[in-house]
Amino acid sequence: MGPIVGTYSLILGSYSAASIGTWAVVFVVDSVAEVQPFNDANVLAAAAATTGLFDANTKYIRLENPGDVSFLFNPSSDLILDGEVIDRFSLPAGFEARIPNQSITESFSGSPTRIFEKTATEYNNLPIGIQRNLALLYGPIGREITGAGTYRFNNFHAYNGSYSIWSLTVEFERLNHRVIVSDTGGGLSGRTWTLVDSNQVSTAVTPTSQTSTEVIFDFDSFSDGSYYLVGSGVQFASFQLGGNVTITGSGGINLGGTANIVYIADSTGIYTLVPGKLNDTIYTGLADPETLEVKIPDPFIKTAYLGES
Amino acid sequence: MRDHQPITLETFNGLWRKGDPEDTPPDHFSDCNNVSFLGVASFQTRPGVGLHQNVLAPLGNIVRMYNYITQDKNTLIVLTYNTTTNTGSIYHVIDGTTVFGPLLSIVGMTDFAFVAYAGRAYISPFSSFLTGGLNIEKGLQNEFLYVYKGDGTAARKAGANAPTGTIAIANGAAGNTDPGFKLFGVVFETDTGYLSPPAAFNSFTTSAAQSVSFSSIPVSVQAFVTKRHIVATKTIINYNGNTTGYIYYFIPNAILNDNVTTTLPDISFFDIDLLDDASELLDNFAEIPAGAGLTLYHNRLILYTTFTDISLAYCSLPGEPEAFDQVDGLIVAPLDGNPITNANELRDIFYVNKRNRTLAYSDNGDVPSSWGPPTVIDQAIGAPIHGVATFIDSGSTSVNYLIMASYKGIVVFNGVYALPELSWKIADLWNELDRNEFRKIQFLNDSIGQLLYIVLPTGILLVGDYNNGLDPKNIRWTKWEFNFNIRTIALVNINELIIGAGL
C-alpha cells in the first residue's frame, strides 16, 4: 500500500434538508492573500447602522476582490468552504466561499466578480447586470457580475441534488484503491454515493463502510480518466458549521503507482526539474500549506506481452 | 509451463505507440508514464520538480516562458494570463526571489513572441484567431512590437515617433559651409539606439564662410528619446518642393545629447562632409505592428504574421532591430491563406514555415524585398508557432539542423526533411493530437543531456531520449505527467529544465 498522498481540511455545512433557499452562492477569489480578518468596529458600526446586518463586535472575514469588491463573513454564522475542488481539466482555480445571501451588501464597483452555482440549478431573480457563463456538468457555473451599484441577492435556489465535493483523478488501472471520507461533524449519515466519470456517466457506488463521521470506499480498478465521487442530498441547504472533512487516498501497487488524490486550489506556477529529486513539490494556491510534497504521479511502464506493468 | 520459453528483457527502448498494441516489440513499452531512461538500457522514475519561485506571491497560470539571457544573467521572461480580465501580463523572473513586472499587460494577449538582442528583450503580443474553423496565430490588432531593457522598467513600444514642428535655421558665426539651398531635418534617437524617420523639415540657403545655427529643435514627448541629430541634404540646385525627395545625411557633430535643448549654434560643414545617409530612415515604422513571431537572420530582427498580413515578414536593417523599412524591408510568402508560423536560419539560408509548407530565402546583400521569390522546400511539412526546437539555453533553433514538430511528426531538417520522422515509433500518439491545438506545442532540445522536451496540447510533456542515437529507431520516448498542466518550458543555465504550469 502506498502512503497517504494528501490530507486536506474543508469546512462543510451539514446536509440538512431544512431551510432550503438560504444557501446558493459561491464566490471565487483569486488569491489567498485577499482573505483577511476584518473587525474595524467603526466601519462595522456604520454598516450596521445602514444595513442592520453587521455587528460591530464581531470579527469578520473579508474577501476582497480586485476592484474593491469585498464581502464580509461572520465565521461563527456564515458558511465558508475554504478551498476549491481540484479538477485539472475543467474547474477554475481559486477559493470558494459559500455564504448566505443575506450577507451580501457591499457595492460592486464594476470589476467582474464571479459567482458559481452548481449546474442545473435553477436561476432565480438574478439582478440585471449578472451574466451567465456555463461550465461543465458537476463543475460550477460561473457568472459574472458587472456594472456598478449595490446588489442584494435574494431568493436563490438551494443546491438540490448531487454536488461534487471532491474529485478523484485516476490515470490507469490500479489495485486496492481506498478512499476515506471523514467528517468529524457527523454529516455523512444517510448519504448515497455516485461515481461519475469524465463522460458524465454516473454509477452508484456502495461504500465498504459508512458512519456519520466516516465513509470508506474500496474500488477495484479504474480506467484512464477523472472521476467524481458525489454525495446525495440537499447540499448546503442549511447553515451549520460542520467539522473537518479529510480526504485521504491509499493504494497502488509496486511499479504501478498510487491512488492520486491531491487537493490543490491552484498548482499553476513555475517549477524546476531537479535531477535526483524523488518527489514533486507543488504550489497549492492555499495559505496553508503554501506548498505540498507529493509523490511523482503514477510512474509505470507496461510491456508489450505481459499485459501488465 | 512445460513449454514455456522465458524471455529476458535486457533493454528498454521506450514507448511504442504505432499500430496494434500487441505488435509492440518486446523491448518497448506499450504504455508508460513518468519514467526516464538510465544509461543505454534501463529506466527509472523521472526526476521530481521543485519550486522555481520562493516568494510570497509566486506567478500563476503561466502560459508562455522563454529563457532570456541578459548581459549578465540567465533569466526568464514569463507571460501569465488572467482569465477573468482576459489580460496577459509579462514578467521578468530574475531568480527564485526576484521578479520584475508586470513589464507589459495587454488585454487579449494569450501568447507572445520574443527575441533577445543586445541584452534587450523584443516582445510581440499575439493570440489565436479562429478563421474558417482553424486557429491561426497572428499579432494582436492595433498592437505593436515592444522593447524591454532588462532592468525592471516597463516595456515600451519599439521605435519612436518622428519629430514634429519645424526646425529654424539661421546663419551662425563665421565658419564653413558650401553656399546654397539645402534642406534640414531632425532625427530622434532612443535609449535603445533607434533612429526615427527625419522630420521637422525646413529649408535654408547657407552662406559661404558662415556656420549654421539651429533653433526650435523639436523635443520628443517620449522620455526614452535621449539624443537628437540634425540632418541635411547637400546643396540643391533646382529644388522641386518635395522635402522627402532628397537624400539626407547626418551632419557631423550636429548632435544634441539630450531631449531638452532646443538650440544648436554655429555648426560648420561642407557638402563633402555629408557621408552618413539618413534617407533610409524615411520609410521606417515609427510603431512596428505586432506579429506572431520574432527571429534573427543576418543580424536582422524578423517579425512575421501581423494581424493584417499573415504571409508577410518584416526585416529590420542589419544591427538595428527597431528599424523596419515599410517599403522594401519585407518578404512575402505565397498567399495561400495560411499564416507564416515559424522562421529560422540554417546554414545562412532563411527558412520560413507555414503549418504545412517550408520555404527558403537567401540574403542577396540587397534589400529584403529583393530576396524572393522563395524556393519551395516542402509542400507538405511545416511547423507550428513554437514547434521548432530551441537548443539548450541559447534560445536558438539552429545548430547543424532543425528539429520540428510538424503535423507529420517530429522531423529533423537539415536542408531537406529526414524521413521517417523521429516520432515514427509513436505515430499513433502524435496523430491523436488535435491539430487545431498545435500552437500549444513547445519544443526544446537539451543537446547536452540529449533529450527532447515537447509540451503537448494535452498539458503533458513528451520526452525523447536520444543518448542511443538521434534517429527513429534508437530514440526512446516517454511521457511525463504532473499534478498540473504544463503549458510552457525553458532551459536555463545550459540545460536546467524550467516548467511553466497553467490552467
Side-chain angles (χ1 to χ4, degrees):
Chain A
M1 291 297 178
I4 293 173
V5 177
T7 302
Y8 306 90
S9 294
L10 307 179
I11 302 173
L12 297 180
S14 65
Y15 300 157
S16 166
S19 304
I20 292 175
T22 303
W23 302 92
V25 187
V26 181
F27 280 87
V28 175
V29 297
D30 291 328
S31 169
V32 177
E34 294 167 334
V35 181
Q36 304 165 345
F38 185 84
N39 61 346
D40 187 322
N42 292 331
V43 173
L44 292 172
T50 304
T51 66
L53 295 174
F54 297 103
D55 177 2
N57 298 316
T58 298
K59 185 173 184 178
Y60 289 88
I61 293 174
R62 181 172 69 177
L63 296 187
E64 184 169 354
N65 276 343
D68 294 325
V69 180
S70 61
F71 306 95
L72 298 181
F73 307 97
N74 182 345
S76 66
S77 60
D78 292 344
L79 177 63
I80 298 173
L81 174 61
D82 182 9
E84 172 60 273
V85 175
I86 183 175
D87 181 341
R88 293 170 56 192
F89 307 104
S90 61
L91 294 185
F95 274 68
E96 291 186 349
R98 287 166 170 78
I99 62 172
N101 57 292
Q102 294 301 318
S103 293
I104 304 172
T105 57
E106 293 287 317
S107 294
F108 295 85
S109 60
S111 179
T113 298
R114 303 174 73 185
I115 296 180
F116 288 85
E117 282 192 346
K118 173 183 164 296
T119 303
T121 300
E122 293 181 19
Y123 310 119
N124 192 1
N125 297 336
L126 289 172
I128 294 172
I130 296 183
Q131 300 168 2
R132 298 171 182 175
N133 297 316
L134 293 177
L136 295 177
L137 189 63
Y138 293 103
I141 285 181
R143 298 178 180 180
E144 288 193 348
I145 303 172
T146 58
T150 300
Y151 292 119
R152 274 290 286 271
F153 296 92
N154 294 305
N155 301 320
F156 275 97
H157 276 290
Y159 280 72
N160 293 304
S162 299
Y163 185 78
S164 170
I165 60 172
W166 75 91
S167 65
L168 170 62
T169 301
V170 179
E171 303 297 337
F172 206 72
E173 288 188 356
R174 301 183 184 88
L175 299 176
N176 303 323
H177 284 81
R178 167 161 286 195
V179 173
I180 303 171
V181 181
S182 61
D183 180 3
T184 57
L188 297 177
S189 295
R191 302 300 120 207
T192 59
W193 303 89
T194 304
L195 187 69
V196 184
D197 67 18
S198 55
N199 295 318
Q200 313 303 341
V201 176
S202 301
T203 306
V205 290
T206 303
T208 305
S209 66
Q210 179 168 358
T211 67
S212 63
T213 58
E214 184 177 78
V215 184
I216 298 175
F217 299 90
D218 287 306
F219 297 107
D220 292 332
S221 64
F222 293 99
S223 299
D224 281 348
S226 294
Y227 296 84
Y228 304 89
L229 194 54
V230 178
S232 66
V234 179
Q235 315 257 339
F236 310 112
S238 174
F239 159 66
Q240 178 184 344
L241 283 181
N244 292 335
V245 172
T246 303
I247 305 172
T248 61
S250 64
I253 58 175
N254 291 335
L255 296 179
T258 62
N260 181 29
I261 304 173
V262 180
Y263 185 85
I264 311 162
D266 182 0
S267 61
T268 66
I270 306 174
Y271 296 92
T272 302
L273 192 75
V274 182
K277 194 169 188 289
L278 300 178
N279 72 302
D280 289 341
T281 306
I282 57 178
Y283 304 101
T284 64
L286 304 171
D288 185 19
E290 294 177 338
T291 63
L292 199 60
E293 303 290 334
V294 298
K295 294 188 72 172
I296 292 172
D298 195 20
F300 74 91
I301 64 101
K302 187 174 183 179
T303 61
Y305 59 95
L306 297 177
E308 191 57 75
S309 58
Chain B
M1 296 297 290
R2 184 170 51 191
D3 298 325
H4 173 66
Q5 296 295 320
I7 299 174
T8 302
L9 296 177
E10 295 183 339
T11 61
F12 297 94
N13 289 318
L15 185 61
W16 180 283
R17 282 289 310 280
K18 187 176 180 67
D20 192 327
E22 293 187 359
D23 296 333
T24 304
D27 60 343
H28 283 72
F29 308 143
S30 62
D31 200 1
C32 65
N33 187 39
N34 282 335
V35 296
S36 60
F37 298 97
L38 186 65
V40 297
S42 304
F43 68 94
Q44 61 184 358
T45 301
R46 68 154 169 82
V49 293
L51 310 179
H52 186 72
Q53 288 192 283
N54 182 23
V55 293
L56 190 60
L59 299 178
N61 196 17
I62 313 296
V63 294
R64 188 61 57 207
M65 188 166 61
Y66 298 95
N67 61 308
Y68 171 28
I69 301 175
T70 63
Q71 297 196 6
D72 58 353
K73 284 192 180 66
N74 214 325
T75 64
L76 294 171
I77 193 156
V78 176
L79 172 67
T80 68
Y81 182 69
N82 185 321
T83 56
T84 303
T85 61
N86 184 30
T87 301
S89 297
I90 293 176
Y91 295 82
H92 185 194
V93 179
I94 303 295
D95 51 35
T97 56
T98 305
V99 180
F100 293 145
L103 315 170
L104 179 66
S105 293
I106 297 175
V107 173
M109 177 168 58
T110 60
D111 207 338
F112 76 110
F114 164 82
V115 156
Y117 191 103
R120 301 188 293 269
Y122 287 92
I123 295 166
S124 179
F126 74 91
S127 190
S128 295
F129 298 87
L130 195 61
T131 304
L134 292 174
N135 284 318
I136 67 170
E137 287 69 54
K138 55 184 182 178
L140 291 180
Q141 191 173 25
N142 300 321
E143 272 298 342
F144 305 95
L145 177 69
Y146 288 81
V147 60
Y148 165 61
K149 293 191 294 181
D151 56 2
T153 58
R156 62 164 175 82
K157 288 178 190 173
N161 294 335
T164 57
T166 304
I167 188 172
I169 309 113
N171 284 323
N176 301 304
T177 56
D178 289 321
F181 182 89
K182 298 179 179 64
L183 293 171
F184 294 86
V186 179
V187 170
F188 287 161
E189 180 175 343
T190 70
D191 57 0
T192 56
Y194 169 78
L195 297 169
S196 75
F201 299 110
N202 205 348
S203 60
F204 184 70
T205 301
T206 56
S207 303
Q210 280 191 297
S211 64
V212 183
S213 291
F214 303 98
S215 60
S216 299
I217 299 170
V219 173
S220 176
V221 296
Q222 295 174 309
F224 50 84
V225 170
T226 56
K227 287 184 182 179
R228 287 160 297 156
H229 302 260
I230 310 298
V231 295
T233 64
K234 295 182 179 180
T235 303
I236 300 171
I237 304 301
N238 294 307
Y239 178 52
N240 65 8
N242 180 8
T243 54
T244 58
Y246 294 88
I247 298 175
Y248 286 85
Y249 300 89
F250 290 95
I251 302 173
N253 301 318
I255 301 173
L256 295 158
N257 287 306
D258 61 35
N259 189 31
V260 178
T261 310
T262 59
T263 59
L264 185 63
D266 304 331
I267 300 296
S268 291
F269 66 97
F270 292 112
D271 283 3
I272 199 170
D273 296 326
L274 300 176
L275 299 173
D276 191 1
D277 188 353
S279 297
E280 63 181 6
L281 306 175
L282 279 168
D283 295 325
N284 280 357
F285 278 112
E287 297 173 324
I288 302 121
L294 293 172
T295 190
L296 296 172
Y297 175 56
H298 282 189
N299 210 22
R300 299 175 186 265
L301 180 63
I302 314 289
L303 179 149
Y304 49 87
T305 320
T306 64
F307 187 84
T308 53
D309 295 298
I310 61 174
S311 290
L312 185 146
Y314 288 108
C315 311
S316 79
L317 295 174
E320 298 185 46
E322 300 176 43
F324 289 87
D325 191 306
Q326 302 177 62
V327 177
D328 55 22
L330 50 90
I331 56 177
V332 180
L335 307 177
D336 58 1
N338 289 313
I340 295 174
T341 52
N342 222 309
N344 302 278
E345 178 181 358
L346 178 65
R347 296 194 204 106
D348 220 30
I349 302 296
F350 187 55
Y351 292 98
V352 172
N353 296 111
K354 295 197 170 189
R355 67 180 79 203
N356 51 9
R357 178 178 284 197
T358 303
L359 311 166
Y361 295 84
S362 180
D363 185 349
N364 58 11
D366 203 345
V367 295
S369 59
S370 69
W371 296 352
T375 302
V376 178
I377 301 298
D378 199 293
Q379 292 277 31
I381 300 179
I385 198 81
H386 299 292
V388 178
T390 57
F391 284 80
I392 51 175
D393 63 359
S394 71
S396 171
T397 55
S398 174
V399 280
N400 201 26
Y401 55 88
L402 306 174
I403 305 183
M404 300 179 176
S406 72
Y407 287 156
K408 182 175 179 58
I410 297 166
V411 290
V412 175
F413 179 76
N414 55 15
V416 295
Y417 287 102
L419 297 176
E421 63 277 11
L422 272 182
S423 56
W424 184 83
K425 291 194 291 193
I426 54 168
D428 288 356
L429 181 151
W430 194 260
N431 291 331
E432 287 167 3
L433 300 176
D434 184 349
R435 291 178 182 173
N436 216 13
E437 300 292 319
F438 262 45
R439 68 187 186 282
K440 296 179 179 176
I441 290 176
Q442 190 179 1
F443 200 167
L444 299 181
N445 186 345
D446 171 8
S447 54
I448 307 297
Q450 302 195 74
L451 295 167
L452 303 178
Y453 297 107
I454 303 112
V455 177
L456 298 183
T458 49
I460 69 173
L461 201 60
L462 180 66
V463 180
D465 183 317
Y466 61 95
N467 280 281
N468 289 351
L470 185 61
D471 59 68
K473 179 182 176 183
N474 289 306
I475 193 168
R476 295 173 292 182
W477 295 104
T478 181
K479 297 179 295 180
W480 289 0
E481 294 189 35
F482 299 83
N483 285 301
F484 45 77
N485 287 320
I486 301 175
R487 293 300 178 215
T488 180
I489 51 179
L491 290 171
V492 299
N493 299 325
I494 307 298
N495 63 347
E496 180 181 331
L497 181 66
I498 308 297
I499 297 172
L503 296 176

